[in-house]
Amino acid sequence: MPEIRVTPLGAGQDVGRSCILVSIGGKNVMLDCGMHMGFNDDRRFPDFSYITRNGRLTDFLDCVIISHFHLDHCGALPYFSEMVGYDGPVYMTHPTQAICPILLEDYRKIAVDKKGEANFFTSQMIKDCMKKVVAVHLHQTVQVDEELQIKAYYAGHVLGAAMFQIKVGSESVVYTGDYNMTPDRHLGAAWIDKCRPTLLITESTYATTIRDSKRCRERDFLKKVHETVERGGKVLIPVFALGRAQELCILLETFWERMNLKAPIYFSTGLTEKANHYYKLFITWTNQKIRKTFVQRNMFEFKHIKAFDRAFADNPGPMVVFATPGMLHAGQSLQIFRKWAGNEKNMVIMPGYCVQGTVGHKILSGQRKLEMEGRQVLEVRMQVEYMSFSAHADAKGIMQLVGQAEPESVLLVHGEAKKMEFLKQKIEQEFRVSCYMPANGETVTLPTSPSIPVGISLGLLKREMAQGLLPDAKKPRLLHGTLIMKDSNFRLVSSEQALKELGLAEHQLRFTCRVHLHDTRKEQETAVRVYSHLKGLLKDHCVQHLPDGSVTVESILIQAAAHSEDPGTKVLLVSWTYQCRMKSWAATSRPCSRRVCPQPPAEAADGSGRAARGPVLYSRTQSVPRSSLCTCAAPAGHGLHLWGHHQCHMPAKWPVWAEKINNPWRPLHILFLLLGWDVHLQ
Amino acid sequence: MAAHLKKRVYEEFTKVVQQQQEEIATKKLRLTKPSKSAALHIDLCKATSPADALQYLLQFARKPVEAESVEGVVRILLEHYYKENDPSVRLKIASLLGLLSKTAGFSPDCIMDDAINILQNEKSHQVLAQLLDTLLAIGTKLPENQAIQMRLVDVACKHLTDTSHGVRNKCLQLLGNLGSLEKSVTKDTEGLAVRDVQKIIGDYFSDQDPRVRTAAIKAMLQLHERGLKLHQTIYNQACKLLSDDYEQVRSAAVQLIWVVSQLYPESIVPIPSSNEEIRLVDDAFGKICHMVSDGSWVVRVQAAKLLGSMEQVSSHFLEQTLDKKLMSDLRRKRTAHERAKELYSSGEFSSGRKWGDDAPKEEIDTGAVNLIESGACGAFVHGLEDEMYEVRIAAVEALCMLAQSSPSFAEKCLDFLVDMFNDEIEEVRLQSIHTMRKISNNITLREDQLDTVLAVLEDSSRDIREALHELLCCTNVSTKEGIHLALVELLKNLTKYPTDRDSIWKCLKFLGSRHPTLVLPLVPELLSTHPYFDTAEPDMDDPAYIAVLVLIFNAAKTCPTMPALFSDHTFRHYAYLRDSLSHLVPALRFLQQSLERVYSLQHLDPQGTQELLEFTIRDLQRLGELQSELAGVADFSAAYLRCQLLLIKALQEKLWNVAAPLYVKQSDLASAAAKQIMEETYKMEFMYSGVENKQVVIIHHMRLQAKALQLIVTARTTRGVDPLFGMCEKFLQEVDFFQRCFIADLPHLQDSFVDKLLDLMPRLMTSKPAEVVKILQTMLRQSTFLHLPLPEQIHKASATIIEPAGESDNPLRFTSGLVVALDVDATLEHVQDPQNTVKVQVLYPDGQAQMIHPKPSDFRNPGPGRHRLITQVYLSHSAWTEPCQVEVRLLLAYNSNSRIPKSPWIEAGEIPSQAETSIEGTIPFSKSVKVYIMPKPARR
């Protein structure tokens, strides 16, 4: 049984250390390779020994995909590729490829130089690791090997963040990474087409939140900064170097520009300058406004934002400073904070959450006296503000994405279990698709019903299409033909061709029926009577009297013979082939092959089972999906009945279809006519 | 939809024009080429390869064909069509057939049979599609012929099952354009069963090709546009299409749903998966709202636009569009807007934000939360946050339209509009400010909202600031703090951008007159008066102080207690401002009566003497200066009276009583008067907006009199008959022209100059010039003074050049022969179509004059009736020895044709004769400004 297996090594009912293993169509893909912020021991990296105990990872994994450059999505990559050992390809987008090594290097420095950890990856390892990277463009379909292909979609969130579609044959998985459905000042909104994946793996950080309009937040932020600057105060904004920092920079830069403000804005140096450079380069990854105006001016070439120097902090007059790190626990932001905290004209704005124990957390929870190193007590007089600028999709956004992609099932990662539970329930309820939320190390197995491609000759397809009365998009449709299985490939051909290929002779089925007439005249006379009777009744049809005494009504043959026992009784032999019947239907219905024909709809419709029904061979009913003209897929529920099975698969639509056939006359009617029954032609 | 219809009308109109041109061209062609069809035939026979034939056909298609020979050409084309094996040539022929059948004056019913014939034998899908297109052209050409329409519909139905999407597309288009409107038309046409076009088209909503699906929906919309009432059953079909994979299908489906919702707003539809039912328009609204978060921005724009025109939606649904139902960790959360409102109502203004200030409150029942498809929920919140500014603009426009029809919604959407003032794209900001202005009648701004609005005053874009001033002009403010805040911010704006002076003053004028009671308690503070002590007198030239005074004086107009709070110098300043800035400072007493006097002008004694006229003119002028609302009427009447006065004066010259040769000198005066009257009449005609036909007649009449005067004077002063002969004839032509143009108004002109003139016309036509002059002279004297009926609304076009200010003593130096750009900034009031009429004139000291046509994009439209011209004028001159002044002024160009009423009987053929009499000219309508310039000789 084919199946898709998903095992999160990290990010299963958890945030951080994103790493998800996916097996699809016999291919193994690892999605993201992140580290966990909360741990400093082995637990910070995913347990790669799960993948294979002995044996090389490269043999087991077909590729690794990194969704974006945040460390909880790429932090373990050098460890994984260089220290554990993986030589296969690593896919990521161009901006991620550019910025990722900067962040990894920074992370390494803090771990090794500051915390003094041993057995950590080295700078060289980062470089070697990046050599294995294959960069992809948005919407570019990359063929990893003959069967496995991946494609990146825009995800918002941070510069270069992407969602990936992994496809093997007709099965596909979409992994969203982190994404944002509302655009912001420098990035657009995530977008995916209706790719209808088998499985959608989505993040669920804000599974239980519906966020307010971003405009209020922006306005509040700008107003606070503006008021403080006008008062002559200084504003400190502690940020992490990448992502939100650029968003706030753009926000302030455009505001300064618009309002013609003169107060200086500084950016503490370091990482950011390098990163800003990449922001300037990857303009195509930004939002509409920046993309459209970069010809006149690249928005990331800040006019008002200058590099910060330690000495500037003591300058008089208003200023705004962005400083790292974001939680005020160390470094430049803390230094500046100490200098400015005493003045109530100044302000500090925290643009994100702060971990417990950091200075940021303390001041946000209202503490006004801080104990610093060396038993100093710092009194905080400056205003403390909190603004949340988060770039994850909220519950509505997640639902929107699910609606856009129309997956067959959903799997939640990157969120808290309790919140996932709620979203899972909602997804199941509103989209009626199954939803999973495996914990780390837990495997989800999804059985799939693979579609089997069947080749069909264009001639047959066109012929069958022309028969259709009404266009019927997306609906399965009946198609008549012969399925030939040969050398593990399937072909659907017309029955004539099938006969030819198989070297079989055609058998003609004729149905006969005897009608006993009480008539004392000679056979010839009876025939003449029948002839004239029919001639009178069936004016529109070709009724002929043949020299051998038989009468034909088109291809129906009527012969009169004397009864062997009773000379006063004549036996009328009425004989018809299916072929002839079908021919007469041809105007309104479909032609049918001689060997294979469907359940005769006429009888099914009028329900008069008087006539003997000949043995009927059933053809397979085959549905043709609209999109693929040359392959036939039988969706689940439509059984594929092979030639020779004496089993009829009768779609529920048959009677309806038969009713539509307004056949003017049938062989049965001829019988009835002969018997003198009054049968109304419909 | 209406715009769409309009577009169609416009398209058809242009087609007609083109055909006329073709006709004119064919007249020339006929001379050179006797038979087009023959030539074509020879060409096509010569063609050896399909490529050749195609070339000939292409060449042929470039020239128009006259209506008479169309049929012959068609026959030849058809003949070749049958012979031709190459599908591309057949395609071209088919397209030519369509083109030819559109020829004006040609009735294509004769070629229809052939077209249908060849259609039946055609195998190529492309050619088939083109042939159907041809049939469509034929069908639209013969809208009355029911039988043909039926037949074409039949053909279309037959080909609907074609495998090519192109053919099906065209068939559907044909059905949409020609499908019969009445269902039971012709049972007599045998074999053609009556077809339910809607049903047939509806079946193709589920075609396998998205292009065909789109075409089907478009055909359905086309049926609607042609007046066929769509069935309600289509609604369900269309709803299914909303989840189509292709954006063009979804986009068209949204339109269709909108159409149906407008047709059956009140019918009831069930809500799936529940027993409830709602109105169709509400359901449709919910569905379109859902499309605002579609994956494709084209669909989003379409949906957002259509939302605005769904006015029948119940308010309950409408208000949902602004509510996103926030939650955090499954607990309900209030929006920032709600919190701001609460803060405000609790009396605390702008507190510092704490962490957890926005902490969620009560728990939500998890079962009750509906994350998608909660109808209209939050549609506008999403629309206004959209990534594409096109969607945001559409959403703002829709908000505007809905808010205009629902005051309660206007109140609710205010917060969102205010938020849009901070959008990153200027266009969106501007649009939201304009929107706010349009709905401002329905709303009162809260203080915190006002605060946000006022913050935008610092914007560096002039357009934004001016739009905001306009907005403040018509805003309702609820508290006196609000007024104070607005004043403070406006003054801040004034110091930051001094060029905004006029706009700010005007804004304060309206702010004051709207909120007199709120200004009252602020007066002592604003004027910094003290109950016991005299304070220093502020500087009268300070723009900020003037701004404050404008606010106060306008408030005082309706608040009689306020002047008691003024100090002495305030009254003095009032007098000063009333005189210098009369348009900003209202008259505080007794000027209302003068209004009546202007209107009583009509009852003026027609035999009024010169003095009376003079007095009246003087009064009118003064009145115009004082009452800006009446300035237009006053000036207009004064100009007319001045003309009359000049005419009377001229006729009283002694010149007439004495033998001609003796009074050459005085005749100057009379001819000058004639000239001046002419000028005045042009001014009257073109410088005022709101002039109606009645006035135009009188003006033209006056001009005619002036021309008569001119003729008489010339007759008196020139010797010899020859020039006179021509003048007479010209004058008579003009009289004739006058009669033709204003025949409808002639009954109103009894006893007037023209009335008498027309009586004597037959005699005048035959008499000699000398006699004509004599008759004219007596008639001029005898004619009565015509009443000038005053129009309802009349405004004089005026312009003020703000920049260059003309005060600088520093000459603008530039190298001679090169150009220097001079920034010109002017406000124009009541100028119609300024893009075409307003010109800038530069007069050099050597008498050289230069006329500059500003670009259309240099004109902005800040408010109704007002324009702003910001342009650059390039100056250049050869070198001067010393700096000198050039004059810059604005001119109003006119063309006398534009005002002549078009009577139905004036045939197109007579246009040239009109053109002869048309006069183009310019009227200076601004004060000229002197600019000091110095072209230096170029250095070698």
Side-chain angles (χ1 to χ4, degrees), chain A residues 50-202:
Chain A
Y50 176 93
I51 305 173
T52 168
R53 295 237 169 259
N54 37 23
R56 294 177 60 237
L57 281 172
T58 321
D59 299 336
F60 185 77
L61 285 177
D62 289 283
C63 73
V64 173
I65 293 169
I66 303 293
S67 66
H68 63 282
F69 61 64
H70 279 156
L71 286 178
D72 61 334
H73 290 261
C74 71
L77 193 61
Y79 169 77
F80 169 72
S81 74
E82 305 307 312
M83 295 171 81
V84 182
Y86 166 77
D87 296 324
V90 178
Y91 290 94
M92 52 175 81
T93 61
H94 285 276
T96 311
Q97 187 199 21
I99 300 173
C100 203
I102 310 177
L103 282 173
L104 287 172
E105 182 60 33
D106 190 56
Y107 173 47
R108 193 197 63 81
K109 261 191 206 153
I110 291 171
V112 177
D113 299 354
K114 291 227 171 121
K115 295 184 184 155
E117 281 186 48
N119 196 19
F120 207 79
F121 54 76
T122 60
S123 296
Q124 189 54 44
M125 284 179 180
I126 296 175
K127 279 179 194 151
D128 291 342
C129 162
M130 292 316 287
K131 281 179 191 154
K132 295 171 184 168
V133 170
V134 182
V136 297
H137 293 284
L138 274 187
H139 303 173
Q140 174 198 10
T141 306
V142 178
Q143 209 75 36
V144 177
D145 56 33
E146 272 169 23
E147 286 152 29
L148 176 65
Q149 62 183 35
I150 59 172
K151 183 176 174 186
Y153 290 96
Y154 192 74
H157 188 63
V158 287
L159 192 81
M163 307 191 271
F164 280 90
Q165 185 195 38
I166 302 115
K167 199 171 175 188
V168 179
S170 60
E171 292 161 27
S172 62
V173 171
V174 169
Y175 173 61
T176 62
D178 291 354
Y179 64 99
N180 189 6
M181 291 301 280
T182 41
D184 55 30
R185 289 284 170 149
H186 77 297
L187 294 171
W191 180 85
I192 195 162
D193 56 10
K194 249 187 206 151
C195 52
R196 300 199 174 87
T198 324
L199 177 67
L200 174 77
I201 304 175
T202 172

Side-chain angles (χ1 to χ4, degrees), chain A residues 196 219-220 258 426 430 473, chain B residues 206 353 369 372 419 460:
Chain A
R196 300 199 174 87
R219 197 191 58 209
D220 265 0
R258 259 182 62 203
K426 284 290 150 200
E430 287 179 24
Chain B
S206 50
R353 165 87 39 97
V369 185
I372 48 159
D419 279 350
S460 59

Side-chain angles (χ1 to χ4, degrees), chain A residues 9-11 14-19 33-37 39 42-47 71-73 440:
Chain A
L9 295 184
D14 185 19
V15 179
R17 202 178 66 176
S18 284
C19 185
C33 189
M35 50 75 83
H36 203 295
M37 301 272 189
F39 302 112
D42 282 350
R43 285 175 295 169
R44 80 180 145 205
F45 293 144
D47 179 16
L71 286 178
D72 61 334
H73 290 261
N440 283 339

Side-chain angles (χ1 to χ4, degrees), chain B residues 655-882:
Chain B
L655 148 83
W656 314 110
N657 309 328
V658 191
L662 293 176
Y663 285 89
V664 180
K665 206 183 93 206
Q666 278 92 339
S667 72
D668 271 342
L669 210 146
S671 69
K675 215 182 246 166
Q676 206 180 336
I677 293 172
M678 298 276 276
E679 261 172 42
E680 290 278 349
T681 55
Y682 282 122
K683 277 191 191 167
M684 283 172 78
E685 194 176 350
F686 298 104
M687 265 180 68
Y688 294 87
S689 62
V691 178
E692 294 157 21
N693 210 16
K694 298 187 273 197
Q695 286 89 40
V696 177
V697 180
I698 307 276
I699 294 166
H700 275 253
H701 181 250
M702 180 54 81
R703 196 177 302 155
L704 204 63
Q705 280 175 307
K707 280 175 182 161
L709 184 66
Q710 222 166 15
L711 181 64
I712 304 167
V713 175
T714 331
R716 278 257 155 187
T717 48
T718 49
R719 264 154 241 177
V721 192
D722 288 344
L724 210 56
F725 203 78
M727 277 185 75
C728 261
E729 196 153 327
K730 200 164 166 236
F731 178 76
L732 288 177
Q733 261 176 17
E734 263 163 34
V735 174
D736 188 45
F737 179 64
F738 181 89
Q739 186 197 3
R740 279 193 290 149
C741 284
F742 302 107
I743 194 148
D745 298 292
L746 281 180
H748 304 298
L749 304 177
Q750 268 172 14
D751 277 345
S752 68
F753 173 66
V754 163
D755 193 38
K756 290 178 183 158
L757 201 61
L758 290 177
D759 286 344
L760 295 176
M761 205 54 182
R763 209 179 115 198
L764 285 174
M765 294 293 257
T766 50
S767 2
K768 281 180 184 162
E771 250 176 278
V772 173
V773 170
K774 213 170 243 172
I775 298 170
L776 282 181
Q777 193 175 340
T778 47
M779 274 199 312
L780 261 185
R781 281 166 176 278
Q782 284 167 3
S783 63
T784 55
F785 171 54
L786 274 177
H787 292 273
L788 178 69
L790 286 176
E792 299 279 313
Q793 274 287 323
I794 188 161
H795 295 287
K796 185 177 182 176
S798 63
T800 327
I801 298 180
I802 301 171
E803 239 176 291
E807 288 153 359
S808 171
D809 285 335
N810 280 339
L812 202 60
R813 291 173 194 278
F814 62 99
T815 309
S816 67
L818 298 183
V819 288
V820 66
L822 181 68
D823 285 314
V824 174
D825 179 354
T827 52
L828 314 172
E829 304 226 10
H830 306 297
V831 180
Q832 289 163 332
D833 190 21
Q835 283 86 341
N836 291 326
T837 54
V838 175
K839 319 276 176 221
V840 184
Q841 191 183 36
V842 181
L843 288 168
Y844 292 93
D846 57 357
Q848 197 185 327
Q850 187 192 356
M851 184 114 85
I852 294 111
H853 306 263
K855 287 187 296 237
S857 58
D858 290 339
F859 294 94
R860 286 133 212 254
N861 191 355
R866 291 197 294 121
H867 288 89
R868 183 149 189 173
L869 170 67
I870 300 174
T871 187
Q872 280 197 325
V873 166
Y874 299 109
L875 304 179
S876 182
H877 208 278
S878 51
W880 296 345
T881 53
E882 253 165 76

Side-chain angles (χ1 to χ4, degrees), chain B residues 515-554:
Chain B
H515 309 97
T517 47
L518 297 182
V519 175
L520 184 62
L522 290 173
V523 169
E525 188 191 341
L526 294 181
L527 291 177
S528 49
T529 48
H530 195 276
Y532 311 124
F533 304 116
D534 275 347
T535 44
E537 186 174 329
D539 177 14
M540 200 49 244
D541 288 330
D542 179 12
Y545 179 62
I546 295 179
V548 173
L549 285 184
V550 166
L551 176 78
I552 291 175
F553 289 148
N554 279 288

Side-chain angles (χ1 to χ4, degrees), chain A residues 396-666:
Chain A
K396 262 200 151 176
I398 296 172
M399 296 302 264
Q400 202 182 333
L401 188 91
V402 174
Q404 264 183 25
E406 291 187 8
E408 283 163 35
S409 46
V410 180
L411 190 143
L412 303 178
V413 293
H414 202 280
E416 292 161 36
K418 221 175 74 195
K419 298 181 179 177
M420 280 185 179
E421 198 67 55
F422 164 79
L423 192 67
K424 174 177 182 270
Q425 180 204 337
K426 284 290 150 200
I427 289 175
E428 283 176 345
Q429 183 187 326
E430 287 179 24
F431 292 107
R432 299 183 196 291
V433 297
S434 46
C435 184
Y436 309 88
M437 36 173 285
N440 283 339
E442 202 179 306
T443 305
V444 169
T445 310
L446 262 119
T448 56
S449 49
S451 52
I452 300 164
V454 174
I456 180 171
S457 75
L458 196 62
L460 177 64
L461 189 72
K462 276 192 174 167
R463 200 176 78 191
E464 290 293 323
M465 294 260 295
Q467 302 305 321
L469 294 173
L470 295 169
D472 223 1
K474 287 189 201 171
K475 301 258 169 56
R477 239 174 83 172
L478 287 171
L479 192 74
H480 297 263
T482 312
L483 187 72
I484 298 178
M485 287 192 286
K486 214 182 200 176
D487 315 329
S488 82
N489 73 354
F490 295 83
R491 273 187 310 135
L492 195 65
V493 295
S494 65
S495 47
E496 290 89 352
Q497 201 190 337
L499 285 172
K500 216 163 84 188
E501 281 183 28
L502 297 171
L504 293 175
E506 195 178 318
H507 292 280
Q508 228 186 43
L509 289 179
R510 270 195 104 79
F511 299 95
T512 55
C513 191
R514 280 167 208 278
V515 181
H516 296 262
L517 279 183
H518 192 75
D519 193 357
T520 49
R521 272 166 290 198
K522 279 189 173 174
E523 288 105 34
Q524 282 82 0
E525 284 173 43
T526 313
V528 171
R529 262 188 69 198
V530 168
Y531 169 69
S532 52
H533 177 62
L534 288 176
K535 185 97 180 163
L537 278 169
L538 301 168
K539 292 202 174 72
D540 308 346
H541 299 276
C542 166
V543 184
Q544 280 179 317
H545 193 211
L546 299 177
D548 65 341
S550 53
V551 177
T552 57
V553 183
E554 298 198 340
S555 67
I556 295 171
L557 186 77
I558 302 166
Q559 275 176 333
H563 199 274
S564 50
E565 292 157 19
D566 183 6
T569 311
K570 296 283 170 300
V571 180
L572 280 185
L573 185 80
V574 183
S575 156
W576 70 93
T577 63
Y578 256 176
Q579 173 66 21
C580 86
R581 291 187 35 172
M582 295 307 156
K583 233 178 207 166
S584 69
W585 290 353
T588 48
S589 113
R590 63 197 71 196
C592 188
S593 66
R594 273 159 224 169
R595 294 194 58 197
V596 181
C597 73
Q599 170 88 0
E603 278 86 348
D606 63 25
S608 64
R610 282 170 190 279
R613 278 187 206 152
V616 176
L617 291 168
Y618 301 115
S619 76
R620 286 146 258 355
T621 55
Q622 193 76 40
S623 65
V624 185
R626 195 186 62 216
S627 53
S628 57
L629 282 179
C630 289
T631 59
C632 288
H638 273 256
L640 200 73
H641 300 279
L642 299 182
W643 172 258
H645 285 224
H646 289 284
Q647 183 189 3
C648 171
H649 180 79
M650 175 101 84
K653 278 193 301 183
W654 270 104
V656 185
W657 179 72
E659 267 164 21
K660 281 183 187 157
I661 295 164
N662 190 12
N663 193 6
W665 66 288
R666 306 168 190 149

